Amino acid sequence: MKNEFIYQIFPQTFCEKDNKNGIGNIKGIISKLNYIKSLGITSIWISPLTKSPFKDSGYDVEDYYEINPVFGDMKDFDLLIKKANDLNLKIIIDIVVNHTSNKHIWFKKALEGDKKYINYYHFKDPVNDGPPTNWKSKMGGSSWEFVPKLNKYYLHLFSKEQPDLNWENEEVRLEILKILNFWKSKGVKGFRFDVCNLYDKPHIFEDDLEGDGRRFYTDGARLENYLKFMNKNSFNNETNFFTVGEISSTTKEKSVNYAKVNNNELDCVFTFLHLKVDYINNNKWTYTKPNLTSYWNTLKEWQLYFQNNDSTLALFMNNHDQPRSISRFGDDKNYWYQSATSIFGFTSLLKGVPFIYQGEEIGMTNMSFNSISDFKDIETLGNSKELLLDHNEETVLKILSSKSRDNARSVMQWDNSLNAGFSNAEKIDLLINKNYKIINVNNQINDESSVFNFYKKLITLRVSDEIFTKGKVEFDDNLDYCYKRIIDNREILVITNWTSKNKPLTLNINNYKIIINNYQNINFKHLLPYQLLVLERF
Ligand code: GLC
């Protein structure tokens, strides 16, 4: 696990081959395995491929055992596993079992009044003729939906099309095991557990007078037992099997346990506090520039806490839910190359398991949206309705443009041909970033000075040098955006400047040799805008 470098694919927008319906597919993924391998990647995490009505891009599963026909079929999937194996690439799949789709047979039966399946979900009686609690859905609006026929509300922490499963019901847990073991027997080599710190819901449902309800259902008391249960009965600490949990809104004290050595839960966790530094009062749907001091303090604090507790963090700045980090933390207009390389390089040499997200390796940027009607994502649309109650359209457009998940979901930019080379379909209904004629794989792959080739060089270094895979991380309290990796008597210094201005270099680097520099030159007095230096002590 320590030597992994993982590439995330969002199948809908990655690559389409053959069927011309304008949506990415498994054949498209297969056609790009060599490309991914050429970057030095060791494993691929693919967002859900299972059958889904696609209200939330596949994170609403209708059938856990079937491939979504828009992506292909089980034969395609088997071929994907085989081709990936041939290249020594591991396939990690997304496991979405906090909730199902409302089109899942279990939920349909529950709606028909079947008691067994009602108990698969959280159906509750109305309280004072209204919903059981005041909790908010993450997609906007209440987290409860009323079913007149049953005279009950059901819980959905995400959209109303994503009812939450009742993990306390043993039958549900056994169903989940069956799903895990089915995919394991298909040859997948890892699981990414979607929102897994929300599995355990409280026994008493009460109003949240301080927030949106998350403090009552995040990191529940039984959660660690559930993780241990899956581990024991499925992947069982297999050394060749990789697990990562998505743990949002958590504390470091809680999350450290989920990936602690010998806790028999997960291999590593995605946490998000380092990205929530452009939220106002913990509210994502606000507009402000990232606070670089908070970013640095959070990063340092979590790195040390996980190191001291023998636990493992996933390292990432991008995924299908996040705006592109080059536009969020970087200066994608004036220092595009330097921003792409310094943000990636600085964060992936830390201690943990590094992940990158499709398109990041060529410096893909946020979209530019002209109107609220340009957005497609369910979370963005749900929250825009609420924002419009309090703000004018211009402000809402500005907030959505900076935070929408659509920024990460425009099609992968392969070349400068039709649809950015993503698909041959005449018309596609997906977002295409206008800059694809300049920013694309074809333009970069043979150019030694490209973002792509920087990624390749750094990934190769990251997976092959034990100072990064096994070494300690150390910080100096007087220096920000700077850390050391140490093993035996070797020491590597990683230092960056995430601003568009020069930054004084207050440390003496005469005793170090340069391993990586994203500029041609080095100036011993200051770091240039978005400069990254990786130096090894003589
Ligand atoms: C996770 C996924 C996100 C999805 C949500 C509900 O956060 O990454 O895309 O909408 O869970 O499944």
Side-chain angles (χ1 to χ4, degrees):
M1 173 190 88
K2 298 227 154 41
N3 299 335
E4 297 294 337
F5 210 116
I6 301 169
Y7 186 94
Q8 184 196 352
I9 291 179
F10 192 64
Q12 201 182 339
T13 56
F14 185 63
C15 177
E16 190 201 22
K17 273 277 165 301
D18 295 353
N19 63 9
K20 295 203 176 153
N21 63 9
I23 297 176
N25 56 19
I26 298 177
K27 287 201 170 83
I29 299 177
I30 294 175
S31 75
K32 298 296 182 188
L33 289 177
N34 279 314
Y35 164 79
I36 295 171
K37 181 76 186 178
S38 78
L39 263 174
I41 292 294
T42 60
S43 292
I44 303 173
W45 151 34
I46 309 176
S47 284
L49 289 168
T50 34
K51 191 166 176 209
S52 158
F54 245 60
K55 287 286 174 198
D56 184 17
S57 292
Y59 285 90
D60 47 328
V61 181
E62 178 180 339
D63 189 328
Y64 288 98
Y65 301 97
E66 247 188 75
I67 295 290
N68 191 335
V70 297
F71 293 144
D73 56 26
M74 202 51 95
K75 274 204 198 110
D76 294 336
F77 186 80
D78 292 338
L79 187 65
L80 168 68
I81 295 283
K82 184 181 172 310
K83 296 274 181 198
N85 269 340
D86 291 348
L87 290 171
N88 208 6
L89 283 168
K90 304 185 190 76
I91 299 291
I92 299 169
I93 59 163
D94 226 305
I95 300 290
V96 187
V97 288
N98 172 68
H99 44 265
T100 66
S101 156
N102 62 339
K103 299 287 182 236
H104 194 288
I105 184 74
W106 302 335
F107 194 70
K108 286 193 192 155
K109 288 199 172 156
L111 288 187
E112 284 161 13
D114 186 327
K115 290 230 169 50
K116 170 176 157 103
Y117 292 102
I118 287 182
N119 201 24
Y120 269 41
Y121 296 89
H122 295 277
F123 280 90
K124 300 279 169 216
D125 292 332
V127 172
N128 302 327
D129 289 335
T133 67
N134 64 350
W135 301 354
K136 294 262 170 286
S137 146
K138 294 177 198 292
M139 305 299 199
S142 165
S143 65
W144 296 96
E145 181 72 9
F146 187 58
V147 183
K149 189 176 154 194
L150 303 175
N151 192 31
K152 283 186 193 299
Y153 283 86
Y154 67 85
L155 178 70
H156 59 88
L157 298 181
F158 295 88
S159 75
K160 65 179 190 319
E161 291 87 2
Q162 294 164 293
D164 280 58
L165 281 167
N166 174 11
W167 271 74
E168 245 198 306
N169 179 347
E170 194 187 1
E171 283 177 287
V172 169
R173 296 200 301 274
L174 293 174
E175 297 273 15
I176 289 165
L177 269 194
K178 234 170 84 188
I179 296 166
L180 300 184
N181 289 330
F182 171 80
W183 288 102
K184 207 165 158 273
S185 71
K186 284 253 143 219
V188 309
K189 293 281 169 25
F191 297 136
R192 176 257 186 195
F193 291 99
D194 189 62
V195 293
C196 64
N197 64 333
L198 310 185
Y199 291 168
D200 183 36
K201 308 298 188 296
H203 283 161
I204 299 169
F205 285 79
E206 55 191 304
D207 275 351
D208 189 350
L209 304 177
E210 291 167 21
D212 61 5
R214 68 182 67 189
R215 68 196 171 103
F216 293 122
Y217 56 72
T218 307
D219 301 308
R222 289 164 290 261
L223 178 63
E224 286 195 58
N225 290 344
Y226 297 156
L227 298 175
K228 288 186 206 296
F229 167 81
M230 291 194 289
N231 185 321
K232 180 163 173 227
N233 297 295
S234 176
F235 34 96
N236 202 9
N237 291 328
E238 278 172 38
T239 45
N240 213 12
F241 200 87
F242 178 80
T243 54
V244 53
E246 186 200 22
I247 316 270
S248 191
S249 305
T250 191
T251 60
K252 59 182 190 314
E253 289 77 14
K254 285 274 186 190
S255 59
V256 81
N257 290 333
Y258 309 142
K260 209 176 183 136
V261 172
N262 297 332
N263 257 13
N264 303 330
E265 295 174 31
L266 303 170
D267 288 325
C268 71
V269 286
F270 288 111
T271 67
F272 292 83
L273 271 190
H274 64 296
L275 294 177
K276 296 185 179 183
V277 294
D278 54 2
Y279 289 18
I280 299 177
N281 294 333
N282 212 15
N283 179 2
K284 167 170 175 173
W285 301 102
T286 47
Y287 178 83
T288 180
K289 294 268 171 234
N291 179 330
L292 288 181
T293 309
S294 305
Y295 176 87
W296 173 244
N297 290 338
T298 312
L299 193 85
K300 207 163 70 174
E301 183 184 330
W302 284 66
Q303 279 281 307
L304 288 174
Y305 196 77
F306 270 66
Q307 172 163 274
N308 294 340
N309 285 285
D310 256 340
S311 190
T312 308
L313 278 170
L315 307 171
F316 73 105
M317 289 297 282
N318 294 282
N319 70 26
H320 64 295
D321 294 330
Q322 301 295 328
R324 297 269 178 190
S325 66
I326 184 174
S327 307
R328 190 177 188 178
F329 288 85
D331 178 345
D332 64 0
K333 303 275 172 312
N334 303 307
Y335 296 101
W336 171 77
Y337 172 84
Q338 289 81 2
S339 300
T341 50
S342 65
I343 293 170
F344 161 66
F346 188 70
T347 50
S348 357
L349 296 178
L350 283 159
K351 198 171 166 81
V353 181
F355 284 72
I356 55 170
Y357 174 67
Q358 68 183 47
E360 187 190 327
E361 75 279 17
I362 52 165
M364 276 178 64
T365 64
N366 276 355
M367 294 284 299
S368 72
F369 298 97
N370 297 320
S371 110
I372 296 178
S373 61
D374 288 350
F375 294 96
K376 295 182 179 296
D377 165 45
I378 186 170
E379 185 206 31
T380 313
L381 297 175
N383 283 285
S384 79
K385 283 192 205 130
E386 296 197 348
L387 284 169
L388 283 166
L389 300 175
D390 297 330
H391 305 279
N392 62 30
E393 273 201 42
E394 198 189 327
T395 311
V396 175
L397 180 62
K398 195 168 164 188
I399 296 174
L400 301 182
S401 298
S402 73
K403 295 287 168 54
S404 174
R405 311 194 295 186
D406 281 326
N407 283 306
R409 299 176 179 197
S410 61
V411 303
M412 177 70 188
Q413 296 167 200
W414 294 104
D415 57 40
N416 63 8
S417 69
L418 177 74
N419 305 323
F422 153 80
S423 155
N424 288 330
E426 267 167 38
K427 204 176 162 307
I428 67 172
D429 194 29
L430 297 164
L431 297 166
I432 305 183
N433 197 318
K434 283 202 214 77
N435 61 22
Y436 79 87
K437 296 216 159 138
I438 302 161
I439 301 178
N440 64 56
V441 172
N442 210 28
N443 274 350
Q444 296 191 26
I445 208 148
N446 295 320
D447 173 1
E448 274 311 307
S449 63
S450 64
V451 173
F452 176 88
N453 277 304
F454 182 95
Y455 267 66
K456 189 169 166 174
K457 189 167 147 195
L458 196 128
I459 292 171
T460 312
L461 174 73
R462 177 65 167 81
V463 296
S464 59
D465 189 333
E466 62 170 12
I467 200 163
F468 299 116
T469 55
K470 295 199 189 119
K472 261 178 52 185
V473 64
E474 246 183 37
F475 300 90
D476 177 335
D477 282 344
N478 300 315
L479 297 170
D480 65 357
Y481 288 82
C482 173
Y483 59 87
K484 284 180 185 164
R485 298 299 311 266
I486 296 172
I487 196 161
D488 304 327
N489 53 4
R490 287 178 61 209
E491 177 189 305
I492 283 185
L493 188 67
V494 186
I495 181 159
T496 197
N497 168 20
W498 282 8
T499 73
S500 304
K501 295 191 187 121
N502 289 344
K503 178 180 166 187
L505 187 60
T506 50
L507 117 167
N508 182 348
I509 54 173
N510 287 335
N511 293 334
Y512 291 84
K513 74 164 185 270
I514 301 177
I515 312 237
I516 285 182
N517 177 7
N518 62 349
Y519 276 83
Q520 300 288 343
N521 303 318
I522 185 159
N523 172 317
F524 289 88
K525 292 213 179 65
H526 54 249
L527 290 171
L528 298 161
Y530 292 94
Q531 185 162 26
L532 170 78
L533 293 176
V534 180
L535 309 160
E536 177 149 18
R537 202 184 53 205
F538 284 125

